[in-house]
């Protein structure tokens, strides 16, 4: 009897082992180490851009690529048009360690480390390449280190540009005097507020998604923004004058909390970094391509483009650089020095 029991026990062990081997064989081919636990990490990607804007289109591609490459270990979910927190509220999600990626203006990093505003100040860059080169300098990389160490905000990219910003208003503008008495919407940012003030207008800060109704209600006379913004958000339905001040560069930062970042596997981190890099490139190439096309389409919608007195605006905006006591002393001079080197090399 004892012998029979032993044989039955041995058979049971053989069947159990065979079953284990079978289930291993069924593991999907190519499943990566990022999915060891079999759990899916759901991460919200929040942005102000509307679906028709190139940045949102490129972000959609990033999200798809990350989700596919991670074999189900990551599920990025994109929310456009500011339906979920953006701006300061979006940054708070990152700071609090939520499962969140924010794609927002670099100026919102400036609320934590003020020098970010210095490196994205008015009339600093005349080409996108100058800006990209500046972002690679030690000066800017140190800011990224500082915001990560002090506030737990990891900056994944500063390279999501969407064009130089100009004035879309109901009256043409050629000089700072033309802006007197004009209520111009700006993002909730001291840098933008001071810049528009210095250029002659009355800055009114509000999130971009509120601007369409605000113009129609007469709360504001226009907004400042890139040609992609103008066309993509259909602001041409409200205001028909585009005055080419090119006063600031429209650029988004991609941020994630260090808590969330540290909880990811190395492989997941690599996938996210690589896909957001590819996305920035796609966003850049497509934005540059679309700018000319948008100009034509805007004209067809009845928009008139105006050249401005560039020297007068440059001079008017100069005081902005001395309005920030919170900037590192001498930072503006350091930036100009870096910029000189960049220009000499390009
Ligand atoms: O969709 C809005 C976007 O194009 C610009 O937003 O806040 O940088 O003016 P903002």
């Amino acid at each position: 009897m004892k012998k029979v029991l032993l044989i039955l026990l041995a058979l049971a062990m053989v069947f159990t082992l065979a079953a284990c081997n079978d289930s291993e064989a069924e593991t999907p081919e190519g499943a990566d180490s990022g999915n060891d636990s079999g759990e899916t990490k759901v991460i919200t990607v929040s942005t102000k851009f509307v679906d028709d804007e190139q940045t949102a289109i490129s972000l959609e591609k990033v999200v798809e690529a990350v989700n596919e490459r991670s074999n189900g270990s990551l599920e990025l979910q994109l929310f456009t048009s500011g339906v979920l927190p953006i701006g300061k509220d979006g940054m708070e999600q990152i700071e609090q360690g939520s499962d969140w990626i924010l794609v927002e203006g670099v100026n919102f990093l400036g609320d934590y480390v003020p020098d970010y505003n210095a490196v994205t100040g008015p009339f600093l860059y005349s080409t996108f390449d100058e800006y990209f080169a500046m972002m690679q300098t030690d000066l800017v990389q140190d800011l990224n280190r500082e915001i990560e160490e002090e506030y737990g905000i990891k900056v994944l990219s500063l390279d999501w540009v969407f064009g130089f910003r100009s004035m879309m208003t109901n009256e043409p503008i050629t000089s700072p005097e033309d802006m007197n008495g004009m209520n111009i919407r700006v993002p909730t940012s001291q840098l933008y507020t001071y810049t528009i003030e210095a250029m002659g207008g009355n800055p009114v800060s509000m999130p971009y998604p509120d601007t369409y109704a605000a113009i129609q209600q007469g709360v504001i006379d226009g907004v400042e923004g890139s040609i992609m913004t103008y066309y993509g958000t259909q602001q041409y339905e409200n205001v028909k004058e585009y005055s080419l001040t090119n006063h600031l560069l429209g650029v988004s930062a991609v941020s994630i909390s260090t808590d969330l970042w540290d909880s990811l596997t190395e492989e997941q981190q690599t996938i996210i970094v690589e896909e957001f890099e590819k996305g920035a490139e796609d966003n850049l190439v497509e934005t540059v391509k679309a700018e000319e096309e948008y100009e034509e389409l805007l004209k067809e919608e009845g928009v008139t483009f105006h050249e401005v007195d560039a020297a007068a605006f440059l001079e008017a905006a100069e005081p902005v650089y001395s309005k920030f006591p919170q900037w590192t002393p001498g930072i503006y001079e350091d930036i100009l020095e870096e910029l000189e080197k960049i220009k000499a090399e390009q």
Side-chain angles (χ1 to χ4, degrees):
M1 186 64 190
K2 207 174 173 189
K3 210 171 175 186
V4 174
L5 272 176
L6 277 172
I7 291 169
L8 282 175
L9 196 65
L11 280 174
M13 278 172 76
V14 168
F15 282 128
T16 311
L17 280 172
C20 282
N21 283 341
D22 274 358
S23 71
E24 266 167 32
E26 278 162 24
T27 304
E29 213 180 295
D32 67 60
S33 56
N35 200 13
D36 283 350
S37 61
E39 282 170 17
T40 299
K41 184 67 156 175
V42 178
I43 301 174
T44 295
V45 180
S46 178
T47 190
K48 62 198 171 185
F49 294 97
V50 301
D51 292 339
D52 282 345
E53 288 181 285
Q54 184 55 51
T55 299
I57 296 167
S58 296
L59 282 173
E60 187 58 55
K61 291 188 203 167
V62 171
V63 163
E64 275 171 24
V66 168
N67 295 351
E68 201 183 309
R69 264 183 78 182
S70 73
N71 286 321
S73 84
L74 290 172
E75 188 186 331
L76 268 52
Q77 297 179 345
L78 177 64
F79 293 86
T80 54
S81 312
V83 291
L84 289 186
I86 51 171
K88 279 180 195 297
D89 298 340
M91 286 307 302
E92 271 167 28
Q93 293 292 330
I94 307 289
E95 206 191 348
Q96 287 161 11
S98 307
D99 292 341
W100 199 277
I101 290 176
L102 181 70
V103 183
E104 247 301 5
V106 175
N107 54 282
F108 289 102
L109 303 179
D111 292 341
Y112 296 85
V113 174
D115 286 348
Y116 277 109
N117 285 326
V119 292
T120 48
F123 299 107
L124 208 48
Y125 306 104
S126 38
T127 64
F128 294 171
D129 282 343
E130 286 172 10
Y131 168 80
F132 290 134
M134 182 67 81
M135 295 305 107
Q136 294 310 313
T137 59
D138 289 348
L139 189 150
V140 173
Q141 294 301 314
D142 284 349
L143 304 184
N144 290 349
R145 254 187 297 278
E146 188 181 337
I147 200 166
E148 189 169 331
E149 284 165 16
E150 302 272 319
Y151 299 99
I153 297 167
K154 182 170 180 61
V155 178
L156 289 174
S157 174
L158 292 167
D159 289 348
W160 283 69
V161 294
F162 56 98
F164 283 100
R165 304 173 75 110
S166 286
M167 311 297 305
M168 22 183 145
T169 49
N170 48 18
E171 294 289 340
I173 296 166
T174 52
S175 68
E177 291 73 47
D178 293 337
M179 283 178 60
N180 290 168
M182 270 192 186
N183 291 330
I184 305 293
R185 175 271 171 178
V186 291
T188 316
S189 149
Q190 263 188 341
L191 177 70
Y192 281 70
T193 299
Y194 290 155
T195 301
I196 291 304
E197 223 163 48
M199 288 168 69
N202 299 331
V204 180
S205 55
M206 65 177 75
Y208 194 91
D210 298 345
T211 60
Y212 195 90
I215 295 182
Q216 290 190 337
Q217 289 156 6
V219 177
I220 50 173
D221 301 302
V223 303
E224 51 76 61
S226 76
I227 197 163
M228 182 192 82
T229 299
Y230 203 174
Y231 190 73
T233 64
Q234 297 175 321
Q235 206 64 272
Y236 54 81
E237 291 172 353
N238 292 326
V239 280
K240 303 272 187 199
E241 312 296 337
Y242 197 47
S243 306
L244 300 164
T245 49
N246 292 316
H247 54 279
L248 287 161
L249 182 59
V251 54
S252 310
V254 181
S255 312
I256 191 170
S257 89
T258 48
D259 283 353
L260 171 57
W261 188 250
D262 294 342
S263 76
L264 301 176
T265 66
E266 229 172 86
E267 184 164 4
Q268 289 172 326
Q269 293 176 346
T270 305
I271 293 171
I272 289 176
V273 166
E274 287 181 357
E275 293 306 329
F276 271 96
E277 249 170 46
K278 277 190 222 162
E281 185 62 26
D282 178 65
N283 178 58
L284 172 68
V285 170
E286 296 303 323
T287 298
V288 170
K289 245 196 269 172
E291 277 190 337
E292 272 177 40
E293 185 195 335
Y294 288 163
E295 182 169 343
E296 288 318 305
L297 292 170
L298 284 167
K299 283 176 181 165
E300 280 169 27
E301 295 292 340
V303 171
T304 309
F305 284 67
H306 305 277
E307 291 300 330
V308 302
D309 182 346
F313 278 109
L314 184 66
E315 198 188 330
E318 186 65 33
V320 172
Y321 286 95
S322 46
K323 281 203 173 272
F324 290 86
Q326 59 274 52
W327 287 0
T328 302
I331 183 93
Y332 183 46
E333 289 68 26
D334 292 346
I335 291 168
L336 292 183
E337 205 178 297
E338 290 291 346
L339 203 49
E340 279 313 304
K341 280 191 247 164
I342 290 168
K343 283 180 181 168
E345 279 163 20
Q346 284 182 351

